[in-house]
Amino acid sequence: MYNLDAAGHVRGESQYLDDIPVQRGTLHAAVYASPLAHGKLNGLRLEAALAAPGVVRILTAADIPGENQIGGIVPDEPLLAEGHVHFRGQPVALVLAETEPQARAAAKLIEADIEPLPVITDPRVAYAQGELIVPPRTFRLGDPTAAWAECAHIIEGTAESGGQEHLYIETQGAYAYPTEQGGVRVHSSTQGPTAAQRHAARVLGIGMHRIEVDVVRLGGGFGGKEDQATPWAVLAALGAYLLRKPVKLVLPRHDDLRMTGKRHPYSSDYKLGLSADLKLLAYEVTFYQNAGAAADLSPAVLERTLFHSTNTYFIPNVQATAYSCRTNLPPNTAFRGFGGPQGMFVIESAIAKAAEQLGVTAAEIQRRNLLREGDTFPFGQPAELCNAHACWHRAEQAFGLGNWQQEVDAFNQSNTLRKRGLAIMPICFGISFTKTAMNQARALVHIYTDGSVGISTGAVEMGQGVNTKMVEVAARTLGIRSNRIRIETTNTTRVANTSPSAASATADLNGKAVQLACEQLRQRLLALAAEELCVAEEGLEICDERVLTAGHPIESDWEKLVAAAYWKRISLSENAHYATPDLWFDQKTESGYPFAYHVYGTAAVQATVDVLRGTYVLDAVRLVHDFGQSMAPGIDRGQVEGGLVQGLGWMTMEELLYDEQGRLLSNTLSTYKVPDLYSVPADVQIEFLETEGHPRAILRSKAVGEPPLMYGIGGYFAVRNAIRAARPDVAPAFSAPITPEKVLMALCAPRAEANTSPTAAAAQSATKA
Ligand code: LUZ
Ligand code: MOS
């Protein structure tokens, strides 16, 4: 099945927030944000802005009728700054004007009286000063302290990974208007409609039942709208509530880039112990997460880093500690992978360092330590239906990993100006929200009297194709054609108390709820058919809209059955609730069974480095992915392609830079390089691992949103291996992204023996050749 949204997208008919026709009298909002990263806010000068053309009102913290608080996990984030500012780009005031240009022009006239305070941007500095968002967490398995004595090799080092801008095509925004009886309806570009509703109610000081949040679809989220769509939705709701007028707030791209949080940068220390035969025996790791100025989702992201700190390897003795460090950057937030990729980068760095010190390939160490069925993760859950080896072996068969390495070696022997690197990146990702309570969803299914079907769930369509999957689930369960089924907007009055569309779990959770609701309706209709047609209910089914008994069509069909049910006064609506079974986690012992299942895969990435210039090309990515029994192979392949490219971007080119005053330097697309069509490897092969799928996955079709991002980590190591082919004497720091500048610096590093520059040396050998 293809993505049902595709036709609307290519025709420009799909509706995004900015396509909603605005009502007459709509006010447009612009945000005035802190120009400093840290300081005491002594006052605001609003006169000039208030006198500017078209300005109707300017809202500040003092105007908030309820609580000035939008913190989800920790109540540490005001909607509008009050007393202090904690990051550049922190919202301070909201200008409401007749037009958008007027609002934006007036916001520029606001001045804040801020007494500067010291700015921290480095998580290790924050840690040293005791600036932690939440107490540290430690996961333990076995006894690493005792295990060091048994290790033949011990490798120590540090690894750094940078942040990442979400760059959803549609920027943050919301449109809110007053409804009857003091209510507010909010159209928001959010992955978490319930979070927007909850916080709007809190800030306005009214019940959640008076706030309705509605979402048609997003132009991308990637985690950036899991929590951080909330402030803009609440600001618009605040304006609408106070002025009793519609308010529209859409962030210009530049404001979105500087005001919103990103993927968390991490700085980490590791110590890895191996046996003589390259078995990983012990691993100690400490993560310093750069959380930014408020908690946002950082504690949950931190937790997922620990859950994925050993990637897809079994290590019997582990101690992993994580600190969430408060700095004066915009609060960092969810981003596809949610801390998992940051944890995996560190163990892969440790393995790469071990490999180079021991004179073997990293692949040799990786392969020997892949998880096996029943192996325990460092949080107590066993690996079940484990496909780590299956993926690796399939990759070996399909792509001949050993031969491929030999070809790369041969290329490197006969070339001096270009060098190649090959890296293998096996992945393992846990599916479920790590907060057990969030693993629930509901679906509301109506069959109309003409046989058409309308479905509401908590799932937000953001380009990932979840609506198409919901249609597929309903069509298969009811036995009807997909063109009878419509997925309605995601709306908090139709489906309440939803978890955000996140954690790769949206199709599983909402799909299981749809399946339950449709199954109940199907049973009800079949019972009626049995009664009406005087046949046994056993063996009755609805298949392609016909009613079959023991496989033979009988005198009824979908439309007749639905009409008959209505006349018999049988309900044609169903509301189902799904909660993933068997999950638990005990934070006191840091152990439990947090994930419904794991997704596995193995990618091989080849890069070619230009030895003179430091530029490189990612030539090929060939991977085997564990889709289970994919219910929508086209959509799932698209998720793998997109995740892969996003991961390669994070690891190789997207360099998020802040100066010491917390100012975002890479604040435009001319200074922040994202992958374009030309940076996508020319050769991308995606093999579907043949398996039965997993029973906890919807229709045995496994979650696919986040896991493939982590194949991109292979891009870092492919480029690094190519550098080492040119300069076996240098060991570039494990510092991602590995930009062309860093590659060039590594290639130009002073030689240990002679002091000739590599450029000169390469040029010399080029002349010789
Ligand atoms: N969001 C969340 C997530 O709240 N909890 C999670 O475990 C998670 N995992 C991945 C992405 N978003
Ligand atoms: Mo996410 S990082 O699944 O919002």
Side-chain angles (χ1 to χ4, degrees):
M1 179 183 267
Y2 64 94
N3 190 327
L4 296 175
D5 270 1
H9 287 355
V10 295
R11 292 190 190 119
E13 291 168 359
S14 299
Q15 295 212 351
Y16 297 88
L17 186 91
D18 210 34
D19 299 314
I20 298 172
V22 294
Q23 302 172 23
R24 195 186 310 160
T26 292
L27 297 177
H28 295 268
V31 178
Y32 170 73
S34 172
L36 292 184
H38 193 198
K40 196 159 167 286
L41 178 61
N42 290 325
L44 285 172
R45 278 188 291 280
L46 305 175
E47 299 76 18
L50 279 168
V55 172
V56 174
R57 185 141 171 212
I58 299 176
L59 303 177
T60 65
D63 296 299
I64 290 173
E67 209 185 326
N68 182 15
Q69 185 52 251
I70 55 164
I73 301 178
V74 180
D76 67 349
E77 190 176 359
L79 176 68
L80 291 169
E82 204 172 353
H84 284 86
V85 290
H86 294 279
F87 62 95
R88 264 179 199 264
Q90 179 176 359
V92 178
L94 188 74
V95 179
L96 297 166
E98 282 158 17
T99 70
E100 191 172 297
Q102 285 172 339
R104 289 178 186 174
K108 293 205 172 82
L109 301 176
I110 296 179
E111 282 176 55
D113 172 11
I114 300 172
E115 215 174 298
L117 290 168
V119 172
I120 301 177
T121 59
D122 181 330
R124 292 193 190 243
V125 172
Y127 168 77
Q129 300 189 7
E131 288 287 343
L132 296 185
I133 298 270
V134 284
R137 304 270 302 266
T138 298
F139 283 17
R140 272 191 201 88
L141 183 70
D143 183 355
T145 320
W148 298 120
E150 292 166 35
C151 296
H153 315 285
I154 295 176
I155 312 296
E156 289 182 75
T158 64
E160 315 260 340
S161 60
Q164 186 174 23
E165 163 58 40
H166 302 86
L167 213 80
Y168 24 68
I169 293 178
E170 178 191 40
T171 58
Q172 303 274 6
Y175 181 46
Y177 44 89
T179 53
E180 280 189 348
Q181 299 166 35
V184 182
R185 184 175 293 138
V186 188
H187 296 275
S188 166
S189 179
T190 181
Q191 293 173 242
T194 293
Q197 178 198 23
R198 188 188 302 118
H199 289 106
R202 186 178 190 178
V203 167
L204 301 188
I206 61 178
M208 283 171 75
H209 64 313
R210 282 163 70 183
I211 309 277
E212 173 184 349
V213 178
D214 189 89
V215 184
V216 178
R217 66 162 64 67
L218 317 188
F222 308 114
K225 297 171 183 170
E226 179 176 339
D227 227 36
Q228 297 213 353
T230 295
W232 325 110
V234 177
L235 283 169
L238 178 68
Y241 183 75
L242 292 177
L243 281 86
R244 305 311 293 167
K245 288 204 167 218
V247 171
K248 182 169 175 178
L249 170 59
V250 173
L251 292 192
R253 175 66 65 185
H254 191 70
D255 282 356
D256 190 305
L257 289 171
R258 72 193 179 90
M259 291 178 186
T260 65
K262 325 286 180 210
R263 182 189 294 286
H264 295 77
Y266 272 63
S267 180
S268 311
D269 298 324
Y270 60 80
K271 182 173 171 188
L272 183 66
L274 300 88
S275 70
D277 61 350
L278 304 180
K279 282 281 188 188
L280 303 179
L281 294 182
Y283 184 48
E284 247 180 52
V285 60
T286 308
F287 300 105
Y288 300 90
Q289 177 199 55
N290 191 334
D296 191 272
L297 290 164
S298 298
V301 171
L302 191 78
E303 184 172 71
R304 198 175 269 280
T305 301
L306 293 172
F307 282 121
H308 294 89
S309 57
T310 53
N311 188 9
T312 187
Y313 310 110
F314 176 63
I315 312 180
N317 302 287
V318 177
Q319 177 167 308
T321 298
Y323 298 100
S324 183
C325 308
R326 187 186 290 108
T327 62
N328 298 109
L329 301 184
N332 287 314
T333 193
F335 194 133
R336 204 173 192 173
F338 206 75
Q342 290 95 320
M344 292 188 197
F345 179 69
V346 181
I347 182 78
E348 293 301 330
S349 295
I351 289 174
K353 183 155 183 178
E356 74 195 29
Q357 293 198 357
L358 303 177
V360 298
T361 61
E364 196 54 40
I365 301 177
Q366 291 169 320
R367 187 179 56 80
R368 286 184 199 218
N369 291 282
L370 292 172
L371 283 163
R372 290 188 184 279
E373 189 70 16
D375 281 345
T376 310
F377 288 101
F379 44 93
Q381 181 164 353
E384 294 164 328
L385 300 180
C386 173
N387 289 326
H389 280 269
C391 289
W392 185 289
H393 285 142
R394 183 79 192 94
E396 182 62 66
Q397 274 178 348
F399 315 130
L401 301 179
N403 289 344
W404 192 350
Q405 183 63 55
Q406 285 171 10
E407 284 167 28
V408 165
D409 293 343
F411 177 93
N412 288 338
Q413 296 210 316
S414 50
N415 287 273
T416 44
L417 290 179
R418 291 187 307 150
K419 294 287 184 185
R420 284 198 173 144
L422 177 68
I424 316 296
M425 183 64 203
I427 62 148
C428 167
F429 197 77
I431 303 303
S432 287
F433 286 95
T434 57
K435 277 282 163 284
T436 298
M438 292 172 80
N439 297 289
Q440 54 170 313
R442 280 153 296 282
L444 177 63
V445 179
H446 298 312
I447 304 174
Y448 296 97
T449 51
D450 65 354
S452 62
V453 176
I455 299 178
S456 297
T457 72
V460 170
E461 175 61 56
M462 50 189 131
Q464 86 280 43
V466 74
N467 284 357
T468 305
K469 289 190 172 183
M470 295 305 98
V471 167
E472 180 72 13
V473 171
R476 281 202 209 176
T477 311
L478 293 172
I480 62 175
R481 288 193 297 268
S482 57
N483 59 6
R484 280 193 191 270
I485 303 167
R486 175 183 163 90
I487 305 298
E488 308 293 353
T489 63
T490 315
N491 184 296
T492 54
T493 62
R494 261 178 279 121
V495 178
N497 308 325
T498 59
S499 292
S501 286
S504 306
T506 312
D508 274 358
L509 295 172
N510 293 279
K512 292 264 186 181
V514 168
Q515 192 178 36
L516 286 172
C518 290
E519 184 54 30
Q520 290 188 40
L521 289 163
R522 192 183 76 94
Q523 300 276 355
R524 201 176 289 161
L525 290 172
L526 287 179
L528 174 68
E531 187 192 314
E532 297 252 296
L533 301 162
C534 298
V535 293
E537 210 177 316
E538 180 104 348
L540 260 188
E541 55 180 329
I542 309 168
C543 189
D544 197 20
E545 313 211 332
R546 292 175 310 166
V547 181
L548 308 181
T549 176
H552 299 292
I554 51 175
E555 229 346 271
S556 186
D557 63 19
W558 173 255
E559 286 186 9
K560 285 182 190 156
L561 203 49
V562 168
Y566 174 76
W567 289 112
K568 283 243 159 171
R569 297 188 290 171
I570 292 170
S571 169
L572 288 169
S573 293
E574 200 49 61
N575 178 28
H577 173 85
Y578 176 75
T580 316
D582 306 326
L583 303 183
W584 65 279
F585 194 75
D586 180 358
Q587 213 173 297
K588 277 198 279 310
T589 59
E590 299 286 24
S591 67
Y593 194 101
F595 297 119
Y597 57 90
H598 285 82
V599 170
Y600 298 87
T602 297
V605 185
Q606 180 187 297
T608 302
V609 166
D610 179 323
V611 175
L612 294 182
R613 297 174 183 82
T615 53
Y616 51 78
V617 175
L618 299 168
D619 311 306
V621 179
R622 300 180 190 150
L623 62 91
V624 175
H625 187 80
D626 171 23
F627 293 92
Q629 292 280 314
S630 174
M631 74 163 103
I635 287 173
D636 285 351
R637 181 183 291 273
Q639 285 292 300
V640 172
E641 290 173 352
L644 165 67
V645 171
Q646 201 164 33
L648 290 171
W650 172 51
M651 279 282 116
T652 65
M653 63 181 76
E654 296 181 42
E655 192 172 34
L656 201 64
L657 288 175
Y658 291 91
D659 70 10
E660 292 195 338
Q661 287 307 309
R663 182 207 311 262
L664 179 62
L665 299 175
S666 49
N667 64 352
T668 67
L669 291 184
S670 57
T671 51
Y672 184 77
K673 176 71 184 134
V674 291
D676 56 17
L677 198 55
Y678 301 100
S679 34
V680 175
D683 174 4
V684 174
Q685 289 178 40
I686 297 167
E687 291 280 326
F688 286 55
L689 181 72
E690 292 218 5
T691 68
E692 292 293 301
H694 198 286
R696 289 203 196 93
I698 180 65
L699 301 177
R700 295 186 166 260
S701 182
K702 282 186 158 185
V704 72
E706 295 171 287
L709 181 128
M710 282 146 275
Y711 295 132
I713 296 171
Y716 175 93
F717 291 97
V719 172
R720 192 172 182 281
N721 287 343
I723 297 172
R724 298 219 354 117
R727 291 289 308 272
D729 59 317
V730 302
F734 293 99
S735 166
I738 192 157
T739 57
E741 289 92 325
K742 285 187 195 164
V743 175
L744 192 62
M745 294 302 281
L747 291 167
C748 294
R751 276 176 197 269
E753 325 89 298
N755 235 357
T756 46
S757 91
T759 348
Q764 212 176 5
S765 38
T767 341
K768 265 188 250 159

